[in-house]
Amino acid sequence: MDPLRAVHLGPRKKRPKQMGTSAASTLHDIRFQDLVLFILEKKMGSTRRAFLMDLARRKGFRVENELSDSVTHIVAENNSGTDVLEWLQEQNIKATSELELLDISWLIECMGAGKPVEMTGKHQLLVRGSSPSPIPVSEMKTPPLAVRKISQYACQRRTTLNNCNHIFTDAFEILAENYEFRENEGSCLAFMRAASVLKSLPFPVISMKDTEGIPCLGDKVKCVIEGIIEDGESSEVKAVLNDERYKSFKLFTSVFGVGLKTAEKWFRMGFRTLSTIKSDETLKFTRMQKAGFLYYEDLVSCVNRVEAEAVSVLVQEAVAHFLPDALVTMTGGFRRGKMIGHDVDFLITSPGAAEEEEQQLLHQVTNLWKQKELLLYCDHIESTFEKFKLPSRKVDALDHFQKCFLILKLPHQRVDTDRSSQHEGKGWKAIRVDLVMCPYERRAFALLGWTGSRQFERDLRRYATHERKMMLDNHALYDKTKANSPALPRRMFLEAESEEEIFAHLGLDYIEPQERNA
Ligand code: DCT
Ligand code: MG
């Protein structure tokens, strides 16, 4: 049951005119000048009306606090056209034929699309006598198609960066992070899955009714959603953001090389700021942490796409110098279309390289950068890849490919924007870069694994295991259903030349990288 409606459906005092309950519409940019909306409070309630008005304004719609001549669209919920007309009469307002009377489902679709959508019969409120058999709008409404078919697996959902449920997913991500800091893996995963599923919805959740039929929303999650719908914010999130432990862990783990164990140690020792940690002479730092502190400001400021492209050129040039046939692909968040990231990830593979040449490449590339004084930090991990090793059961396991974790010096003149040419100071920015080298025949698996998102990868593996009795990781896809056949073990490894083929082996519709932002 929707508690909001339960509260507001009872008899209420009539008001001559509806007064605004939210901030003025001028706080947000108006993107659709031709539309002037008015949301009817009747049968909706003031809290929900205020919530919807705010949401619509955030999306660029002009929403009036009060009904005036400039209003072009009246949006109502649980009201027929006749009900709205009667209400207008009570207010001594005459409805003109230009005035659109619409059901809330229209506005919800508009907000989901981020722009006004076409008004069709299912949105237009019916007035008694205007059609041979008027159907109450409330009875015509069916849950959005997407709601009925949402999979619990992110790899069966299309999740673009157009997230219309930020208000909820931001909250869930903070709560998940807090559970991670407290090593409560179950609750952490529950909130991450909930965030992931809401990111895939083509509409904003505005009432508890909208959450019906959506998987991965447990009681705890629903409680947070309800709090946000009712109060516009979650008291739990507010408490976390003020929590000493959360604030300290967030700060400490923002340093490259600092994980949960170190954060815990520093927190227990009573540290609360980075400056006191840096200046403490009893503490020993790893090489990674030293670099983390040294380039802290640059590294926390995130990498934008222009910088990522500039790094890409650096990588392409260096790789081509040693292996001209090598293929370099930017992976991670940037391949999924993100505009910023915490690092830039690259996958490198070469169709013609001998094993020895392949093994040498990352060392040659980093040596070259060292000579050019572009290498600020470098950690090589040698390959432990074996052709017939079974895929890992752990969903978050690091893969066996050769790789290096770097901090590169990106000279400002390599970043081709007007803005950057005005940079002052040291003339470069420290950027985190990951390079991965994989055997050519495994490039599709490596590409799929390194494109992410993490939640998408986790669910791909979970799906393979639970729904297909297969094992998937960044190296291979192994079909366990063939394990009892007399075929050689290598037959159970399914080959793939492209990501599309891996999805096909798994019986999944192909999901584009831009749709993997789960
Ligand atoms: N990855 C994975 N398992 C891990 C680590 C990474 O599957 N244990 C995959 C998922 C994303 C990709 O590698 C790159 O990792 P990140 O750079 O951490 O993620 P990102 O999506 O690129 O995020 P950001 O934009 O913050 O860099
Ligand atoms: Mg990344």
Side-chain angles (χ1 to χ4, degrees):
M1 193 178 87
D2 181 352
L4 272 183
R5 291 188 196 198
V7 170
H8 295 296
L9 275 177
R12 55 178 51 250
K13 228 170 80 186
K14 281 189 182 144
R15 299 176 199 173
K17 259 192 186 173
Q18 299 191 355
M19 295 307 291
T21 48
S22 183
S25 48
T26 46
L27 276 178
H28 300 282
D29 287 341
I30 294 169
R31 292 171 54 210
F32 315 109
Q33 299 285 353
D34 298 342
L35 269 65
V36 184
L37 312 185
F38 174 78
I39 301 179
L40 193 67
E41 187 179 307
K42 191 181 168 196
K43 293 193 185 173
M44 177 184 281
S46 57
T47 313
R48 182 166 160 76
R49 177 176 181 254
F51 177 75
L52 289 169
M53 283 168 66
D54 185 51
L55 205 60
R57 284 169 179 165
R58 282 171 197 271
K59 293 275 172 188
F61 289 91
R62 178 170 162 195
V63 188
E64 295 296 272
N65 289 335
E66 294 177 36
L67 193 58
S68 68
D69 289 345
S70 58
V71 169
T72 59
H73 295 60
I74 294 183
V75 181
E77 185 168 44
N78 294 329
N79 282 279
S80 68
T82 313
D83 293 339
V84 179
L85 286 184
E86 278 170 10
W87 181 84
L88 286 171
Q89 265 171 9
E90 284 171 28
Q91 318 301 318
N92 283 328
I93 295 168
K94 207 167 164 260
T96 61
S97 57
E98 290 98 73
L99 191 62
E100 295 283 352
L101 305 185
L102 294 156
D103 182 64
I104 191 70
S105 59
W106 171 76
L107 184 58
I108 291 168
E109 281 176 39
C110 291
M111 291 192 284
K115 59 178 187 213
V117 300
E118 195 190 341
M119 291 169 279
T120 64
K122 69 172 178 167
H123 303 123
Q124 277 147 345
L125 296 178
L126 292 171
V127 178
R128 267 192 298 275
S130 68
S131 111
S133 56
I135 311 161
V137 176
S138 56
E139 280 173 31
M140 284 165 53
K141 268 200 287 185
T142 49
L145 205 60
V147 174
R148 282 179 274 153
K149 294 204 293 193
I150 297 169
S151 166
Q152 62 149 312
Y153 297 106
C155 55
Q156 287 188 303
R157 306 189 293 253
R158 295 178 195 276
T159 315
T160 64
L161 291 166
N162 188 12
N163 174 6
C164 41
N165 286 292
H166 259 297
I167 185 163
F168 302 107
T169 60
D170 289 353
F172 294 171
E173 281 167 0
I174 291 166
L175 296 174
E177 197 173 29
N178 186 47
Y179 284 120
E180 187 192 356
F181 293 164
R182 292 177 179 273
E183 289 175 59
N184 181 342
E185 214 180 309
S187 298
C188 172
L189 209 59
F191 277 101
M192 290 213 289
R193 282 206 185 131
S196 171
V197 77
L198 289 198
K199 282 181 190 175
S200 75
L201 298 183
F203 57 88
V205 167
I206 52 174
S207 80
M208 290 312 285
K209 209 164 185 302
D210 297 334
T211 65
E212 282 170 20
I214 301 177
C216 314
L217 306 182
D219 289 346
K220 252 163 114 177
V221 168
K222 284 202 174 163
C223 205
V224 175
I225 297 179
E226 210 166 337
I228 295 174
I229 291 176
E230 280 177 16
D231 309 325
E233 62 181 5
S234 154
S235 53
E236 226 177 301
V237 171
K238 244 173 126 177
V240 166
L241 290 175
N242 280 317
D243 178 64
E244 195 78 1
R245 185 184 163 96
Y246 175 81
K247 284 192 286 187
S248 304
F249 269 60
K250 185 87 185 146
L251 181 68
F252 300 165
T253 55
S254 71
V255 180
F256 174 57
V258 178
L260 294 185
K261 257 166 69 187
T262 309
E264 175 87 46
K265 190 177 90 183
W266 291 347
F267 182 71
R268 278 175 191 267
M269 289 171 81
F271 290 109
R272 295 293 181 266
T273 67
L274 291 181
S275 58
T276 50
I277 292 171
K278 267 196 295 191
S279 58
D280 191 288
E281 284 171 7
T282 63
L283 290 176
K284 287 230 177 318
F285 301 121
T286 63
R287 200 167 59 86
M288 212 181 211
Q289 290 161 356
K290 281 179 197 162
F293 279 121
L294 205 52
Y295 308 113
Y296 183 78
E297 294 304 329
D298 279 359
L299 298 185
V300 287
S301 78
C302 281
V303 190
N304 64 40
R305 183 162 279 281
V306 181
E307 290 163 344
E309 295 295 346
V311 173
S312 177
V313 173
L314 256 177
V315 177
Q316 305 261 6
E317 281 175 5
V319 168
H321 188 77
F322 302 103
L323 272 184
D325 79 337
L327 305 166
V328 177
T329 311
M330 201 193 284
T331 60
F334 287 110
R335 182 160 185 254
R336 302 197 306 275
K338 277 175 62 177
M339 294 310 282
I340 57 162
H342 90 283
D343 66 358
V344 202
D345 309 286
F346 294 93
L347 180 69
I348 306 167
T349 188
S350 152
E355 213 170 294
E356 169 95 14
E357 288 177 302
E358 203 176 284
Q359 193 276 327
Q360 279 305 306
L361 181 76
L362 293 187
H363 293 279
Q364 290 169 319
V365 165
T366 52
N367 280 335
L368 178 74
W369 285 334
K370 202 171 178 176
Q371 282 165 26
K372 292 187 170 182
E373 297 186 343
L374 293 177
L375 196 68
L376 299 171
Y377 173 85
C378 173
D379 187 10
H380 278 281
I381 314 276
E382 289 305 326
S383 167
T384 51
F385 173 76
E386 289 167 35
K387 251 189 173 148
F388 297 114
K389 197 182 269 180
L390 280 186
S392 167
R393 282 178 194 281
K394 283 202 214 145
V395 283
D396 282 326
L398 214 60
D399 66 40
H400 299 285
F401 297 130
Q402 187 194 24
K403 55 181 83 66
C404 50
F405 304 120
L406 314 171
I407 300 177
L408 284 190
K409 196 188 249 190
L410 180 66
H412 287 329
Q413 68 260 28
R414 283 208 163 243
V415 186
D416 190 26
T417 64
D418 291 341
R419 248 182 320 121
S420 64
S421 58
Q422 292 160 8
H423 269 296
E424 284 173 10
K426 61 192 192 305
W428 50 268
K429 179 175 172 183
I431 309 259
R432 273 274 301 110
V433 177
D434 288 345
L435 303 183
V436 182
M437 183 82 199
C438 79
Y440 187 68
E441 85 275 8
R442 301 303 169 103
R443 67 195 182 286
F445 297 100
L447 182 61
L448 180 58
W450 276 86
T451 297
S453 69
R454 278 165 195 252
Q455 197 56 40
F456 191 87
E457 300 301 325
R458 280 194 198 106
D459 281 4
L460 259 181
R461 290 172 206 186
R462 225 161 44 87
Y463 179 86
T465 307
H466 298 299
E467 306 295 329
R468 298 283 172 213
K469 293 202 163 36
M470 293 184 185
M471 290 162 84
L472 173 74
D473 68 4
N474 289 5
H475 322 93
L477 179 61
Y478 182 82
D479 188 347
K480 287 200 283 185
T481 62
K482 295 192 177 136
N484 293 326
S485 74
L488 291 168
R490 64 191 60 185
R491 291 272 179 83
M492 300 160 205
F493 283 92
L494 304 179
E495 288 176 10
E497 296 285 315
S498 65
E499 291 177 311
E500 282 89 338
E501 285 180 34
I502 304 174
F503 280 85
H505 282 316
L506 289 166
L508 287 169
D509 285 343
Y510 182 63
I511 308 282
E512 298 282 352
Q514 307 88 271
E515 298 168 327
R516 298 182 204 161
N517 287 290

